[in-house]
Each structure stands twice: as structure tokens, then as C-alpha cells.
Amino acid sequence: MFFLSIIFIKLSDKCKHNKYVKIIFLIVALLLPCIMAGLRAIDIGTDVKVYLRPMYECAHSANSFNEYLQLKVNKTRVVGNFEIGFTALIFLVTKLFNNFQAVMFFVELMIIIPIYLGIKKANYSKENSIWLEILSFYFMFYNTTLNLMRQFIGLSWLFLGTIILFSNDKKKNLKFLIILILACLFHKASILSLIIYAFYNILKINKMIKLGNIIISLKKLLMIVVCCVGIGIMLNADILVNLLELFGMDYYSTYISGSIKLYISTFIKNAPLILIILATRKSFLKDIKNSYIFLAIFIYSIIIDQFTTVNVYAARIAFTFSIFNCLFFPTILKSKNCRKNYILKIVYVFYLLGFWYYYFVYCGGNETIPYKFYFL
């Protein structure tokens, strides 16, 4: 499915003369992952049984939206305990189609569409193909979207909102905040993207300052400060715990409360990505727009991942930052000084294959492999 979708993306890119055929190829490319999500069995994706199927059954039996919100999803939670955007989506699709496969299809569609729009908007040149970014998303995150559905709807919209924020749009701040509110209606942890909003406002400063006889870029100095703050938070998790509780996310504070150890496997997992950064360090900071911001986001994804030594579910918080990897690294590989560096591209593609196989096949992450159709 991954490669079929990419083939149709490429066909859409190459179809310059017939816009209708171009649109058809694109629609097919984006529908394929949604159809695969919709046709999966109920035990593909951990949270399908945990809350999606029970919410569908509640919506199916309810005579009104208010009644639906009062019905129990499990022994401790009712539908109304979940974010209103997600509950409304499930209720609407259930009443319109009366089919659980349609519900899973539309949930995935709510993830794929903003991811595509964000990647497309980030590729400023019309000649740039986006196949590598889409392929990166598939290998890094598609299987996880079949499990963490609420979170990834929020993350995908924030991905689009952040790309808009990084653009030259005159109303980009307003649009970002509107999309942030929308994302929070699907998953309240989306509020953590305000950290990225802070990165943008801090690291967009492009001035030189003089410290004695030394002239240094203020952006580089602020980058060091941002990274030091992140390391400080990692060493003193109580700061982040207090922030989460301040925003009403006490539930997520349990993910990071405890003694943190160095999580070596995080660095092993990201080693090929770190290799790409080191190999292109002289060029990508100059060639790529907002490169310092993307680099800060990548560093924070590694920092937050260290909290998995306290609670394995802390990786869910790290997705707020790591979602941008599917754009950041393909963009590096397409930069001016890296276009002919086929070795790095081969390393990256093998990394994607290895990452997907290890985490989703070998480790069984998100319980999506082996994939099964609902009718078999």
C-alpha cells in the first residue's frame, strides 16, 4: 500500500497537462491508506477495541447526541469524557453510514489530508516531488495512526498549522491558533505544540551580536539556550509535571514522574538521522528555511523520549515533536548541496525500512502487524 500510494503521488506530480487526471491520481494516492485503515479487523490497532468500537456502539444505539455523551465506553469512562471533536466525528459518521469500517476510514482521512496539505505547502518549489516525505510518514507513523487515532488527528492538524506558521502568510499566527483550538478538540495534549510556537518566535530572530571581540549569531546563541532548557527539564522533570498540571493534563504527568535514566536506544534509533545532520551540517542550516527551528524540534523529540525510562507511554508526548521528522530529513536530502548525495538517500531509505520492520513487525508496536482484513 505504501509504495502503491507513492506511485500514484509520482504519477500526479508528472501529469502536467491534464489537471483532472492529476487530481484523480492524487485522490487514489490519498484514499489508499484510508481504505486500508477502514478495512482492517477490530484487533488491528490497540485502541480500536479500547474506545473506538465502544464509542461506535454507543453512537449506534443513542437516539440523540446528548444521550450518546452519557453512555459508558468502559467501566470508568463515558463518551463525554473524551474530546468533543472526536466524539462528534464518530457520532456523525455512525449516523450517516451506520458502518464501523466507514468510521475507521474517516478517522484516517482526518489524519492523511492535513499531513498531505502540510507537506505540500512546505515544498515551496512546484518542481519538488513530495513522495519521500509521504513515504517517511508512512514508514514512521502510519501504523501508529491505526492505534493512537485521537492523538494523531490532533497532531496532523497541528503539523499543517505549524507549516502555515513557518510560511509567509500574513495571518499565519491567527491561523495557527485556530488550528490549535481545532486540534485540542480532538486531543487535549495538542496544547503542547505551544512549545513549538515558542521555538518559532525565539529562533526566527536573525541578528548578529558582539560579545567583547567576538561576533556571534543571536540565533545560534538562542538555539544553545533552547537546548539547555530542554536538558534542564529532562534532569528536573517536576518542571514539566507542573506545566502539564497547569494545562489540566494531570493524566500525562504520570508519564514523566520518576527517576529518568539515559535511554540509549533512542540515540541508536535516531543514529542514521543524526548522521544525516552531521554529514550536511555545513549546508542545511543555510539552505533550509527555518532549519534552526526544525533542529530544535528534533532535539526535543530525543529529550522527551528519555522519559520512556519512567513510563513507556511517554513516547506519546514525543510525537508532538517527532512528527516533523517526516518533513525535516527529506528536505535536507533535497537541499542544494545534497541532491546528488545518493549514499545519504540510500541510508535514509534503508533506515525507514529498518525502523518500520523493527518497531511494527519485530516489536509488534501498536498491534498492527500481522495486518488482517475485517472480512477474513
Side-chain angles (χ1 to χ4, degrees):
M1 185 280 290
F2 292 168
F3 288 108
L4 274 176
S5 178
I6 294 307
I7 288 170
F8 280 104
I9 289 280
K10 290 287 288 181
L11 288 173
S12 179
D13 286 339
K14 289 183 178 295
C15 189
K16 306 291 185 182
H17 305 296
N18 192 323
K19 67 177 182 180
Y20 297 107
V21 175
K22 182 182 181 73
I23 292 170
I24 289 171
F25 283 144
L26 178 60
I27 290 173
V28 172
L30 299 182
L31 284 182
L32 281 171
C34 301
I35 291 170
M36 194 164 192
L39 295 180
R40 73 189 190 270
I42 193 172
D43 55 346
I44 302 302
T46 310
D47 285 352
V48 174
K49 282 185 177 179
V50 172
Y51 64 78
L52 187 64
R53 180 70 189 194
M55 288 176 71
Y56 164 76
E57 292 172 351
C58 290
H60 183 71
S61 62
N63 294 315
S64 69
F65 187 70
N66 286 334
E67 180 187 344
Y68 162 65
L69 293 177
Q70 303 305 316
L71 296 177
K72 284 190 175 182
V73 173
N74 52 46
K75 293 181 179 179
T76 58
R77 304 178 81 181
V78 298
V79 174
N81 293 142
F82 292 85
E83 291 86 353
I84 190 65
F86 190 78
T87 57
L89 173 66
I90 304 306
F91 184 81
L92 180 63
V93 176
T94 300
K95 292 304 183 185
L96 285 174
F97 297 95
N98 194 29
N99 183 281
F100 185 56
Q101 268 56 55
V103 170
M104 292 193 289
F105 172 89
F106 278 99
V107 166
E108 193 65 29
L109 190 67
M110 286 288 289
I111 298 170
I112 294 296
I113 295 287
I115 288 291
Y116 168 78
L117 293 175
I119 289 173
K120 191 69 176 176
K121 187 172 183 62
N123 283 264
Y124 306 105
S125 171
K126 292 182 179 180
E127 296 180 358
N128 270 349
S129 174
I130 62 170
W131 71 269
L132 189 58
E133 288 90 333
I134 298 292
L135 191 67
S136 299
F137 174 78
Y138 286 157
F139 276 115
M140 290 179 175
F141 302 108
Y142 178 78
N143 289 66
T144 309
T145 69
L146 303 182
N147 176 24
L148 307 181
M149 295 161 284
R150 290 159 45 233
Q151 181 174 3
F152 265 85
I153 290 177
L155 282 175
S156 62
W157 283 100
L158 284 171
F159 179 85
L160 173 59
T162 303
I163 299 306
I164 292 172
L165 181 68
F166 293 171
S167 71
N168 296 321
D169 194 313
K170 292 181 180 179
K171 296 183 179 180
K172 57 187 179 182
N173 286 284
L174 177 61
K175 290 179 179 179
F176 173 80
L177 294 174
I178 291 172
I179 290 176
L180 173 61
I181 293 169
L182 172 66
C184 289
L185 293 178
F186 286 93
H187 200 262
K188 58 186 178 182
S190 300
I191 196 71
L192 292 174
S193 65
L194 285 175
I195 296 173
I196 296 174
Y197 184 75
F199 287 168
Y200 171 73
N201 285 286
I202 292 170
L203 296 175
K204 70 178 182 180
I205 301 171
N206 195 16
K207 293 182 179 180
M208 304 299 290
I209 58 171
K210 191 173 182 180
L211 298 175
N213 295 324
I214 302 173
I215 298 175
I216 188 170
S217 167
L218 182 58
K219 184 180 288 189
K220 290 181 180 178
L221 190 61
L222 291 171
M223 179 70 185
I224 294 171
V225 171
V226 165
C227 293
C228 288
V229 169
I231 294 169
I233 290 173
M234 182 181 70
L235 297 175
N236 187 5
D238 289 340
I239 297 172
L240 191 53
V241 169
N242 292 333
L243 282 173
L244 289 171
E245 291 176 350
L246 178 65
F247 288 111
M249 291 185 287
D250 308 52
Y251 174 75
Y252 296 98
S253 66
T254 59
Y255 292 176
I256 57 174
S257 298
S259 178
I260 298 172
K261 300 176 183 177
L262 189 63
Y263 191 35
I264 300 297
S265 65
T266 298
F267 295 96
I268 296 173
K269 175 179 74 175
N270 289 296
L273 303 181
I274 295 170
L275 172 66
I276 290 172
I277 290 174
L278 292 175
T280 60
R281 65 189 184 279
K282 293 181 179 180
S283 60
F284 91 85
L285 288 173
K286 295 179 180 179
D287 293 344
I288 299 175
K289 187 178 180 182
N290 300 307
S291 56
Y292 281 89
I293 303 170
F294 280 117
L295 184 58
I297 291 170
F298 175 67
I299 291 170
Y300 266 66
S301 71
I302 294 176
I303 290 172
I304 299 298
D305 240 1
Q306 302 308 306
F307 289 103
T308 53
T309 58
V310 178
N311 189 319
V312 67
Y313 293 111
R316 297 185 177 192
I317 299 176
F319 284 135
T320 304
F321 304 94
S322 61
I323 187 71
F324 293 93
N325 288 353
C326 68
L327 174 63
F328 180 38
F329 291 95
T331 303
I332 290 177
L333 294 172
K334 292 194 297 185
S335 61
K336 292 179 182 178
N337 292 305
C338 199
R339 284 177 185 169
K340 295 182 179 179
N341 197 329
Y342 299 111
I343 294 175
L344 283 180
K345 291 179 181 178
I346 291 170
V347 168
Y348 181 70
V349 171
F350 272 98
Y351 165 77
L352 292 177
L353 289 165
F355 179 94
W356 183 84
Y357 182 84
Y358 179 76
Y359 284 97
F360 301 118
V361 181
Y362 181 76
C363 295
N366 299 286
E367 297 184 330
T368 58
I369 301 294
Y371 176 88
K372 290 183 290 184
F373 290 103
Y374 80 96
F375 48 80
L376 295 178

